[in-house]
């Protein structure tokens, strides 16, 4: 979210939602490569790796896939390419060139590279500079807001304080990497907790109400978004607190 000025784009990233689960994608690719082998139990886990890495193993009838959570928001076509790469390696087959190409192209996208850099920055740092700030613990505040406003049903994204203390960009949600980052400027004793709660709540609404595309126009703060935002207790007071930062 930005201070001053309404409707400002918070991320240039477009929202891409998977229509297949990762397990379904792996099952599909597995079936294509090994049509006569029964499909094993497939477990795909997204892990907090600092880099965009992935691992695969087949043991005791379970196909275990571990993928960096930064790739959790990648489009189906990219997830499929990664599945082909990993399964090819597992079965010691040459990796199809078009898969390598598609996967590499995705990682090379400017916005993806930027997000990967950000995650590397956040995770490469000390504990105090991650979700646990000097004053406020974003994980804790997230859980409270989740309980109060989202029936505790929202899956926790990557949460972190930004490396630099921006005054204009107080927070942003990065959909392709499922990360909410708040400006370090808010992690100070003189910042009321209410202000931190409100900025985090705003970003959580971006998760709940994805941006809408109308032709070339992209609306990040939809009507439902704004209605939901007004449900924040002490909405006016929180906005007032931000104005005085
Ligand atoms: Zn916003």
């Amino acid at each position: 979210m930005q201070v001053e000025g309404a409707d400002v784009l918070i991320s240039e990233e477009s929202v891409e939602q998977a229509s297949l689960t990762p397990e379904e994608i792996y099952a599909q690719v597995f079936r294509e490569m090994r049509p006569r082998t029964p499909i094993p139990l497939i477990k795909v886990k997204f892990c907090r790796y600092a880099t965009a890495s992935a691992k695969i193993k087949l043991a005791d009838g379970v196909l275990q896939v571990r993928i960096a959570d930064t790739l959790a928001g990648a489009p189906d076509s990219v997830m499929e390419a990664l599945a082909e790469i990993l399964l090819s390696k597992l079965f010691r087959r040459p990796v199809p060139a078009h898969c390598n190409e598609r996967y590499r192209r995705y990682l090379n996208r400017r916005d993806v590279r930027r997000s990967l850099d950000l995650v590397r920055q956040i995770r490469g740092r000390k504990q105090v500079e991650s979700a646990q700030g000097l004053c406020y613990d974003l994980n804790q505040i997230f859980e409270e807001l989740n309980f109060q406003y989202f029936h505790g049903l929202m899956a926790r994204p990557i949460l972190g304080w930004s490396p630099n203390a921006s005054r204009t960009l107080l927070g942003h949600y990065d959909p392709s990497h499922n990360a909410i980052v708040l400006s370090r400027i808010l992690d100070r004793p003189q910042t009321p907790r209410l202000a931190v709660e409100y900025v985090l709540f705003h970003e959580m609404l971006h998760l709940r109400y994805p941006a809408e595309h109308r032709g070339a126009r992209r609306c990040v703060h939809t009507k439902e978004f704004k209605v939901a935002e007004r449900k924040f207790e002490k909405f006016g007071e929180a906005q007032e607190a931000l104005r005085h930062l």
Side-chain angles (χ1 to χ4, degrees):
M1 92 175 277
Q2 299 205 253
V3 239
E4 317 258 306
D7 272 279
V8 193
L9 224 73
I10 47 115
S11 163
E12 286 150 28
E13 179 58 5
S14 60
V15 181
E16 288 147 340
Q17 269 156 348
S19 49
L20 290 176
T21 67
E23 286 80 8
E24 284 165 348
I25 292 176
Y26 279 81
Q28 201 174 293
V29 175
F30 190 97
R31 198 180 303 120
E32 281 159 20
M33 281 192 193
R34 285 279 191 277
R36 282 184 299 270
T37 311
I39 296 174
L41 180 63
I42 298 173
K43 288 185 181 169
V44 179
K45 205 177 155 204
F46 290 96
C47 305
R48 285 175 60 91
Y49 298 145
T51 57
S53 50
K55 295 170 193 166
I56 195 166
K57 78 173 181 194
L58 183 58
D60 306 322
V62 182
L63 184 71
Q64 282 194 331
V65 184
R66 287 167 175 264
I67 306 173
D69 56 5
T70 44
L71 294 168
D76 276 11
S77 61
V78 173
M79 289 305 259
E80 240 177 77
L82 180 60
E84 289 210 36
I85 294 168
L86 292 175
L87 284 167
S88 298
K89 285 186 174 163
L90 183 72
F91 297 136
R92 300 198 160 81
R93 293 161 51 138
V95 177
H98 71 273
C99 296
N100 265 333
E101 164 75 10
R102 182 174 298 164
Y103 183 60
R104 212 179 40 233
R105 267 231 300 270
Y106 177 73
L107 293 184
N108 277 337
R109 259 166 52 173
R110 202 168 66 93
D111 56 303
V112 173
R113 261 190 288 127
R114 210 172 41 200
S115 301
L116 287 172
D117 284 347
L118 181 68
V119 166
R120 210 174 296 129
Q121 264 174 331
I122 293 168
R123 295 196 180 154
R125 280 163 188 253
K126 280 187 272 210
Q127 186 60 23
V128 76
E129 293 181 343
S130 65
Q132 172 68 65
L134 294 170
C135 301
Y136 298 113
D137 179 1
L138 294 176
N139 285 336
Q140 191 193 333
I141 296 177
F142 174 92
E143 292 310 337
E144 289 171 16
L145 293 169
N146 194 10
F147 181 77
Q148 189 176 352
Y149 296 102
F150 303 92
H151 309 285
L153 292 174
M154 186 178 282
R156 192 163 77 195
I158 300 163
L159 297 167
W161 291 103
S162 70
N164 44 0
S166 171
R167 272 178 193 280
T168 50
L169 189 67
L170 295 180
H172 75 276
Y173 168 57
D174 178 342
S176 73
H177 298 102
N178 196 33
I180 290 177
V181 180
L182 261 59
S183 171
R184 183 159 300 281
I185 197 102
L186 295 168
D187 186 30
R188 297 182 307 176
Q190 61 266 45
T191 307
R193 195 177 198 267
L194 181 69
V196 181
E197 289 170 4
Y198 172 65
V199 174
L200 184 55
F201 177 70
H202 178 99
E203 301 311 328
M204 286 167 79
L205 289 179
H206 279 303
L207 247 119
R208 178 69 187 73
Y209 301 100
E212 280 176 9
H213 299 259
R214 294 191 201 101
R217 222 182 147 258
R218 182 164 176 266
C219 180
V220 276
H221 301 126
T222 59
K223 202 184 282 173
E224 307 90 83
F225 184 106
K226 286 176 181 162
V227 169
E229 191 173 33
R230 298 241 157 222
K231 298 214 173 99
F232 186 75
E233 228 179 273
K234 301 179 186 163
F235 178 73
E237 206 181 303
Q239 290 214 318
E240 197 53 33
L242 288 181
R243 228 166 275 139
H244 286 107
L245 273 183

